[in-house]
Each structure stands twice: as structure tokens, then as C-alpha cells.
Amino acid sequence: MRQYIYADNAATSKIDKEALERMQVFLYDNYGNPSQPYSFSRLSKLAIKEARETISCCIGSDPDEIYFTSGGTESDNWAIKGFMKRQSKNRLVVSSIEHHAVLNSANTLKREGYNICYLNVTKEGIVLPSFLEKIMDDGVALVSIMSANNEVGSIQPIGELARVAHEHGATFHTDAVQAVGHFNINVKKLDVDMLSASAHKFNGPRGIGFLYIKNGTDLYPFMDGGAQENGFRAGTENVAAIAGMAVALKNNCNAIEENNKYLINLENELIAGLKHNNLDFIRNGAEQHLPGNVSLSFRNSDGEMLLHRMDLMGIYISTGSACDSQNTQVSHVIRAIQVPSEYANGTIRISLGKDNTSEEVSQIVYALTKILKG
Ligand code: PLP
């Protein structure tokens, strides 16, 4: 029996057992540097090649379009700054609900004189293609819109947004950190030019991720040094993490439908339980959302207080609204979707994963009811 309930899977997730076993091979027995020509390194080199093939298969790319990075933050920084600095056009479009890896990359460019446009979203947290259409012109070099929002789970119409960007001659990047491994993504069908992913969001290890870069997309290398990653991201590869990430992604992708059905049932139980106990809350996000991601705003409450009281009861959740630069308790996402002020401060994110159970959901309902109703 677990002594705690982990319901913060959008922050990070438990490693897949098979991925962990695969990693151990390259951490202890087969630790050869993949760049060395001798036979001891052969398995490391092969593991990287196989991981690239497995990952490309999962997202519908070619293997040589996958570049390993240290995670979502690095992938976003590289895609945005590495691309923009190579362009003659100086306009970048991002949505107002992006992760700070994207927003702060844009802010850095802004300080350097680039022109940044922040797109509004609907109250459900959706960037409508018509919003993008309205602000597009031929000066836009890059549009970056996340596939699914990390706080409220809304899934964006990425294929349509990419089409609008392309019609105006812009390149399209998507931060798919919350999406990869959770719903089917095919970069060719969506026609995206760059896509960021992070292994620890799909039961892989922390500190590893990848950037899909469509062949022909022109951006600066992220790291100068050796010839690793085709000379675009130098540094000795983290073979164990790369191999573990590929196994985790393959296993998650093979179980997407089954997992999502399970998670939708769990979140329905959660919402039904809270309603049954007459708690006054709003559920944030769109109908089309990441399964298991439940963003709730409780009336006249305080998300920080809820997080800490739940922690004392052994239940780990998130506010999903880290204090931002304006020093309010309400995140940029909760503000962008215009959650009414009497609810906004009481926002929490419960992100259920495939290891959570019905029994745990009942305990979460019980704990929230006890805290809010005494
Ligand atoms: N983008 C999104 C949407 C995220 O949710 C996160 C992490 O929470 C990141 C980027 C950053 O990813 P990483 O933790 O791998 O740097």
C-alpha cells in the first residue's frame, strides 16, 4: 500500500519499469562513449540509433529529424531563439498561455529588438485559427503555439494553426511537452516544422527530451563542440536517458487509448464526487483536454493553502499557477482565460496518471471536502 497519493503527473511522472531496466544497461555495463570507434562503444551507438528510430516512428517523422536535448526547456529555447536569429524577418507570434520556456525565450528576443505578438485565447484556453489569421502578415518568421496547455489541459487545433502560419510564409513550432505520449501526434499530418518534447512527462527519465526539426528548417546549432547530433547539439550523449526515453514513449504510445479511457473515467469520478459534496468550483479548460488533467478553481479559496493542506494529508497536487512576475497568486494562464476573481485564487491542478486508482480519487474528494467544508 502506498503511503501517499501522487496526483501531479503533469509536473513529472514515475519512470516506466522497462525504461528503467533499459537505462541500467548503459549506466553500468555498457558505458562506452558512443563517439568512440572500438567495439565496446558499439552498443551505445546502436542504442542511440534505435531510440531515434523508435521516437520518429511514434511521431511520424524521419529518424534524422529527431535531435536529443536535455528536455522541454532546451527544446523550446533552441527552436525559438535558434530559428529567429537566423531569419531576416523579425516577428514572432506566441500564445499568451505558453509555458515560460517559450514566453521567456520570446522575452529575451524582445529585449534584443525582435517584435513579439502575444495571441489571446478563448475562455476555454483555445487559440482559435481565426485569432491567428487576424494578426498574421508577411513579417512573421515563426509562430509557436503549444499542443496542450500544462495548467488547464486545453488541446489546441495545431493542424489548422500550422496551416494559417504557412499560408503567410511563416514557420510553425509547437511545444508538445504535455502532449507527446498522451495523444496521437503525427508531425507530417499536422504539418508542423518543429516540435518540442520532454521524456519525464511520459514516464521517461528527467533531463532528456528531443526537438523534431523538419528537414530543411534553418536554425543555428544549440551547442558548439563535437559532431554529435549532426553538429547541431554537441556534447557526449546521455545514452541511458535517450534509450530509456524511447522505451517509455513506445510503451505510452502503444497504450494511449486504453490509458485515456481509464483517465477520463477517473476524472469523471473526481468531478462527480466534488459535485456530490456540493463544493463550489469551476472546472477550467476545454472539452478537448489532456485526459487526467483537472484544473479546478474553488470559490473564495486559496490554491496555495489547498496544496499545503493536501500535502499534510499525503496528497500531492499543484496550484498550476506559480506566482508570476506581477507577484499575484494567479498565473498568466488563469488570467488569460478570465477565471472570475472570486474563483481565480482558489485554483489547483490535479493531474491523474495511469497509476492512480478509483480509491485514490475518492480520497482526494474526501480531503478537498474536509479542507473546504471543515
Ligand atoms: N513546456 C511545457 C508545456 C511544460 O509543461 C514543461 C514542463 O512543465 C516544459 C515545457 C519544460 O519541460 P522540462 O521540464 O523538460 O524542461
Side-chain angles (χ1 to χ4, degrees):
M1 246 307 256
R2 275 200 296 264
Q3 298 299 306
Y4 61 87
I5 296 174
Y6 184 77
D8 199 17
N9 290 276
T12 198
S13 55
K14 186 174 180 175
I15 194 151
D16 176 292
K17 258 213 172 105
E18 198 192 322
L20 177 62
E21 282 162 15
R22 179 88 174 130
M23 287 176 75
Q24 279 163 347
V25 172
F26 300 99
L27 287 170
Y28 200 76
D29 291 324
N30 292 292
Y31 53 85
N33 184 325
S35 295
Q36 292 298 65
Y38 41 71
S39 54
F40 184 56
S41 288
R42 206 174 294 142
L43 265 186
S44 302
K45 205 177 299 174
L46 187 64
I48 293 177
K49 181 174 176 285
E50 283 175 358
R52 218 184 292 283
E53 285 164 2
T54 303
I55 291 169
S56 65
C57 218
C58 292
I59 65 160
S61 72
D62 292 337
D64 64 353
E65 294 175 313
I66 302 294
Y67 293 81
F68 297 120
T69 66
S70 66
T73 301
E74 181 181 320
S75 297
D76 287 343
N77 271 262
W78 185 12
I80 291 170
K81 292 187 272 191
F83 181 81
M84 288 303 291
K85 290 187 177 192
R86 195 83 168 186
Q87 308 305 308
S88 51
K89 298 194 265 188
N90 88 331
R91 205 146 178 245
L92 163 68
V93 176
V94 298
S95 85
S96 53
I97 59 165
E98 294 298 311
H99 187 271
H100 282 110
V102 167
L103 289 179
N104 286 338
S105 294
N107 286 343
T108 298
L109 290 172
K110 192 174 178 180
R111 284 193 295 275
E112 293 174 17
Y114 288 84
N115 180 323
I116 318 294
C117 175
Y118 300 91
L119 275 177
N120 287 333
V121 296
T122 65
K123 287 187 176 170
E124 288 76 39
I126 298 288
V127 182
L128 293 178
S130 59
F131 295 178
L132 180 60
E133 185 72 65
K134 226 178 254 168
I135 54 92
M136 283 304 290
D137 61 36
D138 294 346
V140 177
L142 180 66
V143 175
S144 178
I145 297 170
M146 66 202 323
S147 297
N149 181 262
N150 48 303
E151 288 189 32
V152 299
S154 309
I155 294 176
Q156 306 298 336
I158 290 302
E160 289 170 69
L161 293 164
R163 183 183 50 74
V164 174
H166 290 151
E167 277 170 5
H168 293 270
T171 294
F172 190 87
H173 164 251
T174 185
D175 172 343
V177 165
Q178 292 288 340
V180 168
H182 297 282
F183 56 89
N184 290 318
I185 289 195
N186 183 303
V187 289
K188 301 287 176 203
K189 283 193 188 141
L190 291 171
D191 197 19
V192 300
D193 304 298
M194 293 185 281
L195 174 144
S196 303
S198 178
H200 72 109
K201 309 291 186 178
F202 52 78
N203 306 99
R206 281 162 286 281
I208 189 77
F210 64 88
L211 178 63
Y212 154 76
I213 307 175
K214 184 179 173 180
N215 281 330
T217 310
D218 188 21
L219 69 171
Y220 276 111
F222 188 75
M223 288 280 186
D224 294 319
Q228 294 93 350
E229 299 303 294
N230 217 7
F232 275 82
R233 204 280 187 180
T236 302
E237 300 90 336
N238 188 344
V239 184
I242 290 170
M245 167 164 69
V247 171
L249 184 57
K250 187 186 69 185
N251 288 348
N252 260 29
C253 286
N254 285 342
I256 280 179
E257 273 165 36
E258 180 193 332
N259 285 345
N260 287 352
K261 213 164 135 194
Y262 180 71
L263 290 173
I264 295 283
N265 277 337
L266 282 189
E267 55 173 67
N268 286 343
E269 284 173 26
L270 175 64
I271 299 297
L274 297 173
K275 281 189 178 157
H276 180 261
N277 291 354
N278 287 322
L279 296 184
D280 187 349
F281 67 93
I282 295 172
R283 179 168 186 188
N284 304 309
E287 180 77 31
Q288 280 272 83
H289 67 277
L290 282 171
N293 184 312
V294 184
S295 169
L296 304 169
S297 295
F298 292 94
R299 188 160 190 267
N300 294 335
S301 190
D302 176 351
E304 287 279 314
M305 176 278 291
L306 290 173
L307 182 150
H308 292 299
R309 295 278 303 272
M310 293 287 273
D311 185 3
L312 290 174
M313 295 164 96
I315 301 174
Y316 307 129
I317 59 162
S318 157
T319 57
S321 57
C323 301
D324 70 9
S325 53
Q326 290 180 23
N327 224 2
T328 69
Q329 285 213 321
V330 177
S331 80
H332 64 293
V333 177
I334 296 303
R335 265 185 281 126
I337 64 171
Q338 298 172 40
V339 175
S341 56
E342 69 272 29
Y343 287 89
N345 274 334
T347 302
I348 56 169
R349 178 189 68 190
I350 297 168
S351 46
L352 302 165
K354 58 189 178 191
D355 284 347
N356 288 119
T357 62
S358 227
E359 169 60 27
E360 288 180 335
V361 166
S362 303
Q363 288 182 45
I364 293 172
V365 171
Y366 170 80
L368 281 171
T369 308
K370 195 162 165 56
I371 296 167
L372 288 160
K373 288 205 147 177

